[in-house]
Amino acid sequence: MSTSSATASVQALSLQRLAIHTITTKPWSLREALEHYRSQHVQGISIWVEALKSTPPSTARRWIDDAGMHVPALVRGGFFCDRSSRVRQSRIDENRKLIEIAAEVGAESLVLVVGATPGVELRRQRGWVEEGVQTILADAAQAGLKLAVEPLHPMYAADKSCINRLREARLLCDQLNHPLLGVAIDVYHTWWDPDLHREIELLGKSKRIFGFHLCDWRVPTRHLLTDRALMGDGCVHLKQIRLAVEAAGFTGWNEVEIFSEEHWATDQKSFLNKIVERYAAC
Amino acid sequence: MSTSSATASVQALSLQRLAIHTITTKPWSLREALEHYRSQHVQGISIWVEALKSTPPSTARRWIDDAGMHVPALVRGGFFCDRSSRVRQSRIDENRKLIEIAAEVGAESLVLVVGATPGVELRRQRGWVEEGVQTILADAAQAGLKLAVEPLHPMYAADKSCINRLREARLLCDQLNHPLLGVAIDVYHTWWDPDLHREIELLGKSKRIFGFHLCDWRVPTRHLLTDRALMGDGCVHLKQIRLAVEAAGFTGWNEVEIFSEEHWATDQKSFLNKIVERYAAC
């Protein structure tokens, strides 16, 4: 075995749990993403619905299978909150459609960003979320699909998610108590939480860690939405959190999910190389 | 009594607990702020250190007394966090100087934004904060000055404050247990917190609510620092929070603190009028 192929083999091994969200390399089509990830020995791809815009799920599935890739998650369902019950019902219908699509592309889970409506009490909105998730659980069960509730950072409490800590996501899971309902832990949203390690432990005990998302918190952060950093370029103790998640029994994918105007504007191949390098380091 | 002076008297009454932070009308000098606030029957002014740049505290005190104004707080001390113990000591010295200045201008309290150093574990940093606050408590006691720890929103956890929930501020107060140590509750930083109402109650029970800061959370928020909204222009249930704070026994000032490039760029007299109007409504 030559030195370079030995290196490649070690690298492939260390990458065996790495997945990348298509949004991370937003300029690429799904087909480009599959091709480039695979060429870098990345075996997991979490698919944003936006990446399926011009590709039927069945075609996507064929490409994914041909590339020998796995799909930890379809991203993102949810958005259960609205003052109008009619709108809330339509959101539930949309989630049912997403569950079908997730099954078609062979995703292991559907990530739920639960939504928020400015000005409505957050507690009341969490009631809508509970109703919505409960309703679609039957569909998820039929499809054999996991639902992963992802708490978003409190800076998104007004209009994107009324669940802003792992604790509220865990309480929702406890309430509905279904083996296909769990939580996606994203370091970007949760790193600051004084209860982070305790919550990871509690979620681990009830086997509810369904996803683990990686990126970093840039200092200073210049934009609320699209200024996430590459692992190692921010202030988050990634390795410490990863070890905690693993100690809690999580053996699933480590999903890199970076929204960054800065990185989207660069050459995506070099960016992908950096992702792979930095992943190995954390 | 003419109708207009009757109206003025009612208005003055309803404004009796209104204070404004000088940063809110940043384009104005301290002298201009005092003059304009007073002309609008505002009786409280919380003074940012920046507003004292070109005015000695003794002069400021004379202006304040002449205007018959009160100073709920000098803003902001704290910033106890740094890897270097030498730097941490210099921050403590700066706080001591601020305590003197607060006493000179007749402030009731010094607001402490506790600081944060990117990349250091938040829990470890809270240890530095505890040491720092404990050290300056003796100075505050000598000056008869209250210290009000202000938790900042989790979006500032990386570089501005390692205390991001009321809970951690309360635990710090419990730990140091001094009658001059309490908490400033700012709706901007805390409105999203699922434990907000419980924490207000607990802080009230131990008589540790030392300040109440008002503004609103704009949807969408366009900048992490300087896009706060005027009361009523955002999604926060201000009245509900104010009533909770009052039910918890708080009888102090309601301090309007708005950082907003948008509002700073407008005519400050009209802005002040709007502040007074909106305050009366919430």
Side-chain angles (χ1 to χ4, degrees), chain A residues 118-123 126 153-160 164-165 167-168 191-195 197 217-224 234-237 240, chain B residues 118-123 126 153-160 164-165 167-168 191-195 197 217-224 234-237 240:
Chain A
V120 179
E121 269 191 88
L122 294 170
R123 183 201 297 254
R126 290 195 284 270
H153 193 283
M155 70 185 175
Y156 304 122
D159 51 355
K160 291 186 174 51
N164 307 100
R165 299 190 302 189
R167 180 178 155 85
E168 280 63 45
W191 73 273
W192 62 273
D193 185 348
D195 300 329
H197 285 268
W217 181 279
R218 197 183 180 282
V219 186
T221 292
R222 299 159 298 184
H223 190 277
L224 275 92
C235 67
V236 179
H237 290 218
Q240 192 191 61
Chain B
V120 179
E121 267 192 89
L122 295 169
R123 181 201 298 252
R126 289 195 285 271
H153 193 283
M155 71 185 174
Y156 304 122
D159 51 355
K160 292 187 174 48
N164 307 101
R165 301 188 303 188
R167 180 179 155 83
E168 279 64 44
W191 73 273
W192 63 272
D193 186 348
D195 300 329
H197 286 268
W217 181 279
R218 196 181 181 283
V219 185
T221 291
R222 299 159 298 185
H223 190 276
L224 275 92
C235 67
V236 179
H237 290 220
Q240 192 191 62

Side-chain angles (χ1 to χ4, degrees), chain B residues 78-96:
Chain B
F79 302 100
F80 297 106
C81 300
D82 196 279
R83 279 192 176 85
S84 147
S85 61
R86 199 180 47 74
V87 172
R88 294 202 300 277
Q89 184 55 51
S90 74
R91 300 285 173 74
I92 286 171
D93 296 340
E94 285 163 28
N95 276 285
R96 286 180 163 140

Side-chain angles (χ1 to χ4, degrees), chain A residues 43-59:
Chain A
Q43 297 168 47
I45 182 167
S46 283
I47 298 179
W48 275 56
V49 177
E50 290 77 353
L52 293 172
K53 228 171 183 174
S54 51
T55 310
S58 56
T59 308

